[in-house]
Amino acid sequence: DMIIREVNENKKQFISLLLLADEQENMIDCYLEKGTMYVLEDGNVKAECVVTDEGNGILEIKNIAVDPENQGMGYGKTLIDFIASQYADEYSILQVGTGDSTLTIPFYEKCGFTEDGIRKNYYENPQENAILMSKNL
């Protein structure tokens, strides 16, 4: 049976999944403790997501990753749908910053996000600007 559960301690046990989405471990450390982490299990852990409160009714997805062998099976979308319904009463917008990738943007669009523009220096690397996408809750 598929379950989604919140992880409150030892979040670094999922570092291999976290690093799929964000290869800088020092950046992960910056949001991992203050963020709320969820893992999706279907037999074993298939996906994880970390969200943070950005103020003004905005919830941000800081990290979302699906185990490579299980990508394209709907786990990422299931996790986003869960978060959207879990936080709909508390927040008005779910946002995510993503690289300009032909893989990630269609995925977020399928999950109901639309592009909000470009946020400069969202990543530490000034060469990389993030496409900001959001979804109304």
Side-chain angles (χ1 to χ4, degrees), residues 10-22 24-26 28-29 32 37 48 63:
N10 193 12
K11 296 176 187 173
K12 288 291 274 273
Q13 68 184 293
F14 302 108
I15 192 68
S16 59
L17 267 178
L18 290 159
L19 286 166
L20 287 174
D22 190 344
Q24 292 180 282
E25 192 168 344
N26 61 329
I28 292 172
D29 290 338
L32 196 56
M37 179 181 216
E48 62 72 27
N63 189 305

Side-chain angles (χ1 to χ4, degrees), residues 48-111:
E48 62 72 27
C49 185
V50 179
V51 294
T52 56
D53 180 340
E54 297 297 310
N56 301 323
I58 298 170
L59 184 73
E60 180 158 342
I61 295 175
K62 289 290 190 191
N63 189 305
I64 182 166
V66 177
D67 173 66
E69 290 175 21
N70 294 282
Q71 288 174 5
M73 294 168 70
Y75 290 126
K77 186 174 188 306
T78 299
L79 206 41
I80 286 179
D81 290 345
F82 166 83
I83 282 160
S85 62
Q86 184 85 347
Y87 288 95
D89 295 343
E90 249 178 292
Y91 293 89
S92 51
I93 291 170
L94 181 60
Q95 78 177 18
V96 63
T98 183
D100 190 355
S101 153
T102 50
L103 290 176
T104 53
I105 291 176
F107 165 74
Y108 287 117
E109 286 174 341
K110 195 171 73 177
C111 294

